């Protein structure tokens, strides 16, 4: 991570305007009020690996020092390997520390008035960056370095870089006390860190808030390179450099597909560079297995298909999901059995369990899918458990494979809860996931498929659907080789470090990469064995080649950390020391560590900062979800017109809080035109036809009030000013209370009255979520 500070030009400073009505942390310049001004992604692709530098440039146009928070995505299989911080020509190498220690280091530096930055992992593909003591009139550039593999199948590698954290469904009951993060969603018993993965969302129509640039340099590294295509962004190609066109928005994944001629099988051993001379030789290996050129013979199978019909699946996503699910049903034969479940906050289908895949039953299933429309919340745990239990319950009657297929966008926050509940149920059931979205939750869907020894297909547009479903059809129908295992001669493979732990099957056109740790000399052979569909033995032996490839160790460490973190999420909390040790040993960020950099110079004597949370784009094709508008976006309610109605309330979970399902804007031919709203304030006003009731508003404001309880007096005063401005728009019936907040009473009186009106008391703070 690099932190560069450049003073603003006098003319630029002169254009800064502070909005008195803007509220806490809100700014406005010619480019808008947001702290993040530029996002630059620079990637070097070498064969099937990618090295990336992500630069985020912040600007402080306020008249007080800032602490900026940015919640952002990264590729879920990439390893964050380094971070530096540079200010006024002074460079500081960041240190990877245990997460609690890193936070203490960061907080102490901020209190002492020193510039500091910290990067933390919230999910495999969601991260938080904070930069503090940014003095007025300065620009700050934060850089992260990462390496990762490119998935390859059917003659093409894919580079996918996510650009926005989409809103996620947060089930459960709101927890009391201060939130653990700066996001807009309250923490719940099911998602105790919901406030760390829910950045505020900009209103539709907001001007492009940042300058986005993406450059990818492609080196085939000996492979034969064919066409290079971008599916969601307009690009310019200059020899082997691909760049997006200026003006693109960070509201969808950047996806680049590179047509490569198939490569051969390889086995690489990378010796450790820092091992003690007295230690035995050790290192990291990676073996690539190419599937044999065989025809797959179909076997009877039991298939459970889960279709997400929640509110976030509206528009083109619902159309694509129905088509994908119907394609799965159409591939079934008379020797198969199946069940189709559609779900939101309720589960429909499955009737009497698994049914024979007769023409009549398949037709009825497709009819059921055709009636599925987006609605409700994404209660994913119940259908997953029901589907796995259906397959497990009929195991004695099953004559072949047992497969579960999940079609969803994966936009849920309770990933750990889901993994903990379903891991004991998976057994030998294959789990395949189909992710449909332009900002898909790829990390979670990949974790599910990995636990189930299956594959993940990501569909970013209807144009991509047919190709993705062809891949899924082959995987459901007939893998070429199953029951894979490794053995080695000349070196010892450490079985406990193998990744993935559960080896998937070999499918046509899909090479398999297995990595892990070894002991001994980096020479010899690695043999992969398995069982072919015809019952015969499969065996291939690859000679081991010693190489100086640090990226191999980093990519294995990232994959190993994901395996350990999934087991931790499933309830084995004894793994925390092993996860932390692996992260620190190999210099790869994980959920229990953080990169932190501190400048030794004091730039802000009193250490006080105004906190600003960077709002993110509404994902392409989505509407703005209700409740996702954070404090920073509030001043623009009257400036930005919304293009679609807000989400409808859902039935609350038993004992839980009200929930709202974000609906998607339909796109493509035949989509209805957007229905304009007179103003956001009008849409949110309680009364007949209201989409948000007063109780929900007050509950949200009470959570914010509790979070601000321990702040300095001047920040609490600003918070109450903001509260008055929000309630004036959202709750006209509280006009007397708003007038009281704007009166001349003391801060203590106003604060006590706010607690009384909002209907709560201030309980004790909760422990930080990663310490539970």
């Amino acid at each position: 991570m690099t932190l560069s500070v450049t003073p603003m030009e006098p003319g630029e400073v002169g254009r800064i305007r502070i909005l008195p009505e803007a509220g806490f942390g809100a700014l406005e310049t010619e480019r808008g009020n947001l702290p993040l001004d530029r996002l630059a992604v620079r990637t070097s692709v070498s064969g099937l690996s990618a090295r990336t530098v992500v630069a985020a440039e912040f600007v402080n146009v306020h008249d007080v020092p800032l602490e900026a928070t940015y919640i952002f995505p990264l590729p879920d299989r990439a390893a964050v390997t380094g971070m530096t911080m540079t200010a006024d020509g002074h460079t500081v190498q960041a240190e990877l520390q245990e997460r609690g220690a890193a936070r203490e280091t960061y907080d102490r530096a901020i209190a002492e008035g020193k510039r500091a930055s910290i990067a933390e992992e919230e999910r495999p593909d969601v991260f938080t960056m904070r930069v503090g003591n940014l003095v007025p009139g300065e620009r700050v550039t934060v850089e992260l370095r990462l390496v990762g593999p490119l998935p390859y199948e059917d003659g093409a590698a894919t580079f996918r870089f996510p650009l926005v954290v989409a809103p996620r469904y947060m089930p459960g009951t709101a927890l009391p006390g201060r939130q653990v993060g700066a996001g807009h969603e309250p923490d719940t018993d099911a998602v105790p860190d919901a406030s760390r993965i829910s950045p505020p969302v900009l209103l539709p129509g907001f001007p492009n808030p940042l300058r986005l640039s993406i450059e990818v340099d492609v080196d085939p590294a000996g492979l034969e390179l064919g066409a290079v295509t971008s599916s969601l962004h307009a690009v310019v190609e200059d020899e082997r450099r691909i760049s997006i066109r200026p003006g693109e928005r960070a509201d969808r994944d950047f996806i680049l597909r590179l047509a490569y001629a198939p490569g051969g099988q390889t086995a690489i051993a990378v010796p450790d560079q820092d091992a003690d001379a007295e230690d035995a030789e050790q290192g990291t290996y990676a073996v690539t297995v190419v599937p044999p050129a065989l025809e797959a013979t179909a076997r009877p199978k039991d298939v459970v298909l889960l279709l997400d019909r929640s509110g976030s699946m509206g528009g083109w996503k619902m159309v694509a999901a129905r088509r994908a699910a119907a394609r799965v049903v159409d591939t079934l034969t008379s020797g198969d059995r199946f069940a189709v479940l559609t779900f939101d906050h309720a589960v429909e289908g499955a009737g009497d369990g698994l049914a024979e895949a007769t023409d009549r039953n398949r037709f009825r299933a497709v009819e059921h899918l055709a009636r599925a429309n987006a609605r409700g919340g994404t209660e994913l745990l119940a259908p997953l458990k029901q589907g796995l239990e259906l397959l497990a319950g009929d195991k004695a009657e099953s004559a072949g494979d047992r497969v579960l297929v999940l079609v969803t966008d994966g936009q849920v926050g309770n990933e750990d809860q889901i993994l903990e509940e379903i891991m004991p149920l998976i057994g030998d059931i294959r789990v395949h996931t189909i992710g449909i979205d332009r900002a898909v939750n790829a990390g979670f869907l990949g974790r599910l498929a990995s636990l189930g020894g299956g594959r993940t297909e990501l569909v970013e547009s209807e144009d991509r659907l047919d190709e993705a479903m062809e891949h899924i059809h082959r995987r459901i129908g007939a893998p070429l080789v199953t029951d894979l295992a490794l053995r080695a001669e000349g070196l010892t493979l450490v079985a406990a470090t193998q990744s993935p732990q559960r080896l998937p099957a070999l499918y046509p056109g899909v090479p398999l990469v297995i990595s892990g740790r070894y002991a001994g000399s980096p020479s010899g052979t690695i043999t992969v064995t398995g069982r072919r569909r015809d019952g015969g033995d499969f065996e291939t032996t690859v000679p081991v080649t010693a190489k100086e490839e640090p990226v191999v160790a980093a990519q294995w460490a990232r994959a190993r950390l994901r395996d350990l973190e999934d087991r931790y999420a499933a309830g084995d909390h004894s793994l925390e020391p092993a996860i932390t040790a692996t992260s620190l040993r190999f210099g790869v960020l994980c959920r229990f560590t953080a990169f932190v950099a501190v400048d030794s110079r004091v730039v802000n004597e009193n250490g006080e900062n105004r906190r600003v949370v960077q709002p993110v784009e509404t994902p392409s094709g989505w509407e703005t979800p209700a409740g996702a508008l954070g404090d920073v976006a509030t001043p623009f309610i009257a400036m930005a017109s919304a293009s679609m109605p807000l989400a409808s309330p859902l039935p609350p979970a038993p004992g839980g809080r009200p929930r709202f399902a974000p609906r998607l804007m339909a796109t493509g031919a035949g989509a209805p035109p957007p229905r304009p709203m007179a103003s956001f304030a009008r849409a949110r006003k309680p009364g007949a036809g209201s989409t948000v009731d007063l109780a929900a508003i007050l509950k949200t404001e009470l959570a914010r009030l509790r979070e601000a309880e321990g702040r300095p007096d001047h920040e609490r005063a600003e918070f109450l000013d903001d509260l008055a401005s929000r309630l004036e728009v959202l709750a006209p019936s509280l006009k007397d209370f708003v007038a009281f907040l704007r009166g001349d009473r003391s801060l203590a009186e106003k604060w006590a009255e706010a607690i009384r009106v909002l209907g709560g008391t201030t309980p004790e703070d909760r422990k930080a979520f990663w310490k539970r």
Side-chain angles (χ1 to χ4, degrees):
M1 183 180 292
T2 302
L3 183 86
S4 320
V5 178
T6 305
M8 298 174 67
E9 299 294 331
E12 189 173 5
V13 175
R15 291 194 296 270
I16 296 172
R17 180 164 65 92
I18 308 300
L19 293 177
E21 72 278 11
F24 179 68
L27 323 168
E28 185 186 69
T29 67
E30 284 185 345
R31 295 193 58 80
N33 79 321
L34 309 179
L36 183 61
D37 180 59
R38 184 176 68 93
L39 185 67
V41 180
R42 303 188 303 276
T43 296
S44 296
V45 170
S46 178
L48 297 178
S49 295
R51 292 177 172 85
T52 300
V53 175
V54 183
E57 183 176 314
F58 298 87
V59 56
N60 182 359
V61 297
H62 214 289
D63 58 354
V64 296
L66 293 182
E67 179 188 52
T69 299
Y70 180 34
I71 302 170
F72 63 101
L74 289 175
D76 66 288
R77 298 206 295 173
V80 181
T81 59
M83 165 178 160
T84 59
M85 184 173 75
T86 303
D88 287 336
H90 182 59
T91 300
V92 179
Q93 183 69 38
E95 183 179 354
L96 185 63
Q97 300 179 358
E98 186 274 329
R99 191 169 183 174
R103 284 195 150 210
E104 291 175 2
T105 299
Y106 174 83
D107 291 340
R108 183 168 56 252
I110 297 303
E112 293 172 354
K114 300 174 182 177
R115 285 192 191 89
S117 182
I118 187 170
E120 303 169 79
E121 177 187 321
E122 315 299 345
R123 297 289 188 276
D125 56 351
V126 179
F127 297 77
T128 297
M129 176 189 300
R130 285 188 292 156
V131 184
N133 282 326
L134 308 182
V135 297
E138 290 186 328
R139 289 183 176 270
V140 174
T141 300
V142 178
E143 291 188 354
L144 291 172
R145 299 192 304 275
L146 47 147
V147 297
L150 301 186
Y152 177 89
E153 61 182 281
D154 291 335
T158 301
F159 172 69
R160 175 186 292 266
F161 196 92
L163 293 170
V164 62
V165 176
R168 300 186 178 190
Y169 179 73
M170 310 292 185
T173 303
L175 294 172
R178 297 181 64 177
Q179 295 187 168
V180 297
H184 71 86
E185 284 279 359
D187 304 322
T188 74
D189 53 358
V191 195
D193 61 339
S195 61
R196 295 192 63 84
I197 59 172
S198 53
V201 180
L202 291 172
L203 285 169
F206 194 91
N208 196 345
L210 58 85
R211 294 172 292 154
L212 174 66
S213 65
I214 300 176
E215 294 181 351
V216 181
D217 292 317
V218 179
D219 175 8
L223 297 174
E224 182 181 340
L225 178 64
V228 178
T229 58
S230 169
S231 60
L232 291 182
H233 290 80
V235 297
V236 177
E237 186 172 356
D238 182 8
E239 294 183 349
R240 287 183 174 171
R241 170 170 291 181
I242 293 90
S243 308
I244 65 166
R245 294 185 182 276
E248 291 276 16
R249 301 181 72 115
D251 61 356
R252 59 203 185 278
D253 296 349
F254 176 77
I255 302 169
L256 204 63
R257 291 191 172 85
L258 304 93
Y260 281 140
Q265 300 182 145
T266 61
I268 300 172
V270 182
D272 291 345
Q273 299 300 311
D274 56 353
D276 295 334
E278 298 180 359
D279 292 344
E281 288 185 283
Q282 55 185 349
T284 306
Y285 73 87
V287 56
T288 301
V289 186
V290 176
L294 301 172
E295 289 295 327
T297 303
R299 290 176 55 186
K301 54 190 174 293
D302 291 347
V303 178
V304 171
L305 174 66
L306 306 181
L307 175 66
D308 180 357
R309 60 177 299 171
S310 64
S312 66
M313 290 291 293
W316 76 271
K317 290 165 60 176
M318 195 71 251
V319 174
R322 287 195 300 255
R323 285 182 56 202
R327 288 281 297 276
V328 172
V329 173
D330 286 342
T331 65
L332 301 176
T333 66
S334 58
D336 301 326
R337 299 187 304 167
F338 77 108
V340 173
L341 307 181
T342 57
F343 68 92
D344 43 32
H345 54 278
V347 183
E348 298 178 355
D352 297 326
L354 298 177
E356 301 292 333
T358 61
D359 289 345
R360 176 181 176 82
N361 286 337
R362 287 190 289 113
F363 179 76
R364 292 175 63 184
V366 171
E367 276 192 323
H368 172 67
L369 292 170
R371 292 192 296 269
N373 293 310
R375 67 181 193 189
T378 316
E379 292 285 357
L380 182 53
L381 178 56
L384 276 173
K385 292 177 67 174
Q386 186 171 337
L388 291 170
E389 288 167 353
L390 274 173
L391 293 168
D394 284 340
K395 183 176 182 179
E397 302 177 23
S398 177
D401 298 332
R402 296 179 299 150
V403 180
L404 184 143
V405 182
L406 171 64
V407 184
T408 180
D409 58 9
Q411 301 299 357
V412 294
N414 60 324
E415 293 103 317
D416 284 0
Q417 180 196 35
I418 291 171
L419 295 178
E420 181 175 6
E421 293 282 343
I422 71 168
M423 186 174 283
L425 303 176
I426 289 179
D428 60 356
I429 297 171
R430 293 280 179 190
V431 179
H432 301 294
T433 57
I434 304 173
I436 299 182
D437 201 355
R438 295 172 187 163
V440 70
N441 188 352
F444 174 55
L445 297 181
R447 293 165 75 188
L448 275 179
S450 178
L451 289 175
R455 298 282 295 185
T456 297
E457 283 292 335
L458 303 180
V459 179
E460 70 274 8
S461 67
E462 289 187 81
D463 293 340
R464 162 83 174 138
L465 183 63
D466 289 340
E467 178 185 357
M469 292 314 301
E470 180 65 25
H471 297 166
I472 287 292
H473 178 200
R474 291 204 306 269
R475 294 185 184 102
I476 295 174
L480 297 173
V481 181
T482 59
D483 303 327
L484 293 178
L486 297 184
R487 71 169 185 265
E489 295 182 5
L491 74 170
T492 301
L493 306 185
V494 183
T497 66
Q498 175 185 289
S499 181
Q501 276 287 295
R502 177 183 174 183
L503 295 181
L506 276 179
Y507 293 91
V510 187
L512 173 64
V513 178
I514 308 167
S515 60
R517 297 283 291 167
Y518 72 86
S521 174
S523 61
T525 62
I526 295 179
T527 299
V528 183
T529 63
R531 183 168 299 279
R532 304 191 324 189
R533 272 303 194 182
D534 60 8
D537 293 333
F538 169 81
E539 182 174 301
T540 182
T541 299
V542 188
V544 173
T545 303
K547 286 190 175 182
E548 298 292 334
E549 290 281 0
V551 68
V552 172
Q555 290 180 172
W556 166 79
R558 175 60 167 164
R560 174 64 174 164
L561 287 168
R562 286 185 56 187
D563 290 342
L564 292 174
E565 287 174 345
D566 286 346
R567 289 164 56 192
Y568 176 91
D572 189 356
H573 291 177
S574 67
L575 289 173
E576 180 176 345
I579 296 171
T580 303
T582 301
S583 173
L584 297 176
R585 165 71 175 81
F586 293 94
V588 173
L589 187 64
C590 78
R591 69 190 298 167
F592 295 119
T593 58
F595 276 112
V596 61
V598 176
D599 194 330
S600 60
R601 296 170 295 180
V602 175
V603 294
N604 179 23
E605 292 291 344
N606 61 18
E608 293 185 358
N609 284 257
R610 175 162 290 182
R611 297 171 183 168
V612 182
V613 183
Q614 172 69 24
V616 301
E617 295 265 16
T618 300
S620 174
W622 286 58
E623 286 181 51
T624 303
L629 302 168
D631 294 343
V632 176
T634 301
F636 293 89
I637 288 173
M639 296 170 56
S641 61
S643 60
M644 296 288 285
L646 295 176
S648 301
L650 305 177
R657 59 191 179 87
R659 295 192 290 265
F660 294 87
R663 291 201 303 261
L664 295 175
M665 179 172 58
T667 59
R675 291 177 291 168
M677 294 194 303
S679 69
F680 176 77
R682 177 180 172 186
R684 294 284 296 243
K685 188 176 297 184
S690 172
T691 59
V692 180
D693 63 22
L694 184 57
I697 294 171
L698 296 185
K699 194 167 189 176
T700 299
E701 295 298 348
L702 179 59
R704 289 175 174 151
L705 188 74
R706 286 170 170 167
E707 193 279 334
E709 184 70 38
R711 294 179 181 173
D713 285 353
H714 72 278
E715 291 190 4
R716 293 200 298 148
E718 290 171 339
F719 175 87
L720 291 180
D721 287 342
D722 287 352
L723 175 62
S725 67
R726 290 193 296 271
L727 293 181
E728 185 175 37
V729 173
L730 304 177
S733 61
L734 295 180
K735 61 181 180 180
D736 292 340
F737 174 53
V738 170
F740 175 83
L741 292 179
R742 289 176 171 166
D744 56 3
R745 298 294 186 93
S746 68
L747 174 61
E749 290 176 301
K750 291 180 180 180
W751 199 264
E753 181 66 6
I755 291 177
R756 188 192 69 78
V757 171
L758 297 181
T761 57
T762 305
E764 295 181 359
D765 292 344
R766 292 181 288 113
K767 295 171 66 176
F769 74 92
W770 69 89
K771 287 298 183 185
R772 293 193 184 131

